[in-house]
Amino acid sequence: VPLRLVWVPITLLLHLAWNAHSADSQLRVDIAADARADMRTPGWENWLPEAPSFAYKSGALRLEIRALSGSLALRSQKALLVRGLTMGADAVVCEIDGDRAPEVALRITGWQPGTHRLNLFLHAFSEPLRYELIDPSGTRRHATTRVDATHNNQIVALHSQVQVDATGTAQWRLKGPVGKPLYLNGFSLEAPQPNSQASEPHPAHL
């Protein structure tokens, strides 16, 4: 049998196996404010954080949300369910008093060394809010939330791709506008850039 006829199927199998591994390693997490079934996002893990740690764990992986300026709480806006939103209807909120800007740190431990991806999904309940994400290298990315979203695929996302060293640790800072709350509605790990949007009925391309 000519070698080229054997090589093509082998490379195809390796490609399919790698894609399957990549899909299996992706995590999609909707942050929940309570245990209501009607606020769960289909196809996502629905995580109800426990104060005061606000730490998500999956195997050796751990993602911790910590307030750098302000205080963390769980909040929901059940009226948004009428519009068809589930991921955008509840969130971890960093609340602030006075003329300071809310800021949280997101720290991930337990990653293998190499390239990794993080997407943050952001939806404010009542007004557009501009957020800044600072990645471990100091690169800054910005996004402004929508208030007219009627589906999960209209929720704004911030994407970051980073190189993780042997410590397996990476940390980001997420900042909101002065005097306004900061809403974090969900996140995905190892998923491709969602082009600033999630997907309906659940992010198939994440």
Side-chain angles (χ1 to χ4, degrees):
V1 178
L3 287 177
R4 69 175 181 274
L5 297 181
V6 177
W7 177 248
V8 171
I10 289 176
T11 55
L12 177 61
L13 288 174
L14 289 173
H15 176 73
L16 293 174
W18 172 253
N19 285 343
H21 168 76
S22 298
D24 290 342
S25 65
Q26 295 175 15
L27 290 172
R28 304 173 178 86
V29 179
D30 175 16
I31 297 174
D34 55 43
R36 287 177 52 131
D38 58 351
M39 299 188 78
R40 295 177 180 173
T41 299
W44 289 56
E45 180 178 348
N46 291 269
W47 170 48
L48 180 60
E50 295 183 6
S53 65
F54 291 91
Y56 170 85
K57 295 186 68 177
S58 177
L61 191 74
R62 175 185 170 95
L63 182 147
E64 183 178 3
I65 305 169
R66 180 170 54 91
L68 299 177
S69 177
S71 59
L72 297 181
L74 295 173
R75 296 285 182 262
S76 63
Q77 183 68 267
K78 297 177 179 62
L80 293 176
L81 292 174
V82 177
R83 297 190 195 174
L85 294 178
T86 53
M87 185 166 56
D90 45 7
V92 169
V93 181
C94 183
E95 299 174 326
I96 203 80
D97 292 325
D99 58 357
R100 295 181 298 155
E103 183 176 356
V104 300
L106 297 102
R107 185 172 187 265
I108 296 179
T109 57
W111 258 339
Q112 294 296 315
T115 302
H116 295 277
R117 293 177 292 196
L118 168 72
N119 295 304
L120 301 180
F121 295 91
L122 312 163
H123 185 261
F125 292 162
S126 59
E127 61 181 316
L129 298 175
R130 180 173 171 81
Y131 293 134
E132 179 181 65
L133 180 65
I134 306 169
D135 74 13
S137 70
T139 301
R140 297 171 183 263
R141 295 173 173 82
H142 300 88
T144 300
T145 63
R146 298 177 56 167
V147 293
D148 59 346
T150 57
H151 299 285
N152 288 335
N153 65 345
Q154 297 173 327
I155 295 174
V156 169
L158 275 168
H159 174 80
S160 176
Q161 180 170 298
V162 297
Q163 288 293 324
V164 175
D165 62 19
T167 65
T169 300
Q171 180 167 299
W172 294 258
R173 291 160 51 207
L174 181 64
K175 302 175 69 175
V178 172
K180 303 291 185 179
L182 183 155
Y183 298 85
L184 175 59
N185 303 85
F187 61 88
S188 66
L189 303 177
E190 310 302 8
Q193 183 171 0
N195 298 320
S196 299
Q197 295 182 358
S199 177
E200 180 70 16
H202 59 83
H205 62 289
L206 296 190

